[in-house]
Amino acid sequence: MSAPNLKELDWAISELESQESSESRYMLLAALYTCRNEMLGLTALQPQPQIAAYSETAGPIEERVGRYGNSDFLKAVADKDPAKIWAILDDFVGSLSLVNRRAYDHLVERLENA
């Protein structure tokens, strides 16, 4: 089986966009958008965010996470390299802007007002 071409990716994206909303559909759409962007060379054109170093002066990880909350997300990123986390989030939010513009706009508005 050969790799899909750009036309096949666009067709699959348009099919998924016309279906009912679901988490699995969004995940597949994000993957297809990422593949399409790679094929078009768009990801190479977008600079990766430069993340400032975070202070390690706080206490144990439970204390640091507790300052912001105890969600599953915060626990998952607690000991990770911030630059890697920001790159993953940037990719995810970029996909979100294509899949659910309303949710993306709401997120950006909340961040601007934080």
Side-chain angles (χ1 to χ4, degrees), residues 10-71:
D10 286 337
W11 177 84
I13 289 170
S14 66
E15 284 292 310
L16 284 170
E17 286 176 338
S18 67
Q19 295 175 5
E20 189 173 325
S21 297
S22 72
E23 184 178 343
S24 61
R25 185 180 136 258
Y26 289 145
M27 289 174 58
L28 184 54
L29 270 170
L32 290 173
Y33 279 121
T34 301
C35 289
R36 185 181 71 179
N37 290 346
E38 285 287 331
M39 290 177 80
L40 294 172
L42 297 176
T43 54
L45 301 176
Q46 299 173 352
Q48 291 298 316
Q50 299 299 313
I51 309 303
Y54 286 89
S55 171
E56 295 292 333
T57 59
I61 193 65
E62 292 80 20
E63 257 181 54
R64 288 183 276 155
V65 171
R67 286 187 296 173
Y68 303 108
N70 281 330
S71 69

Side-chain angles (χ1 to χ4, degrees), residues 17 33-34 36-37 93-101 104:
E17 286 176 338
Y33 279 121
T34 301
R36 185 181 71 179
N37 290 346
V93 172
S95 297
L96 178 65
S97 74
L98 299 170
V99 175
N100 189 337
R101 187 65 189 200
Y104 170 82

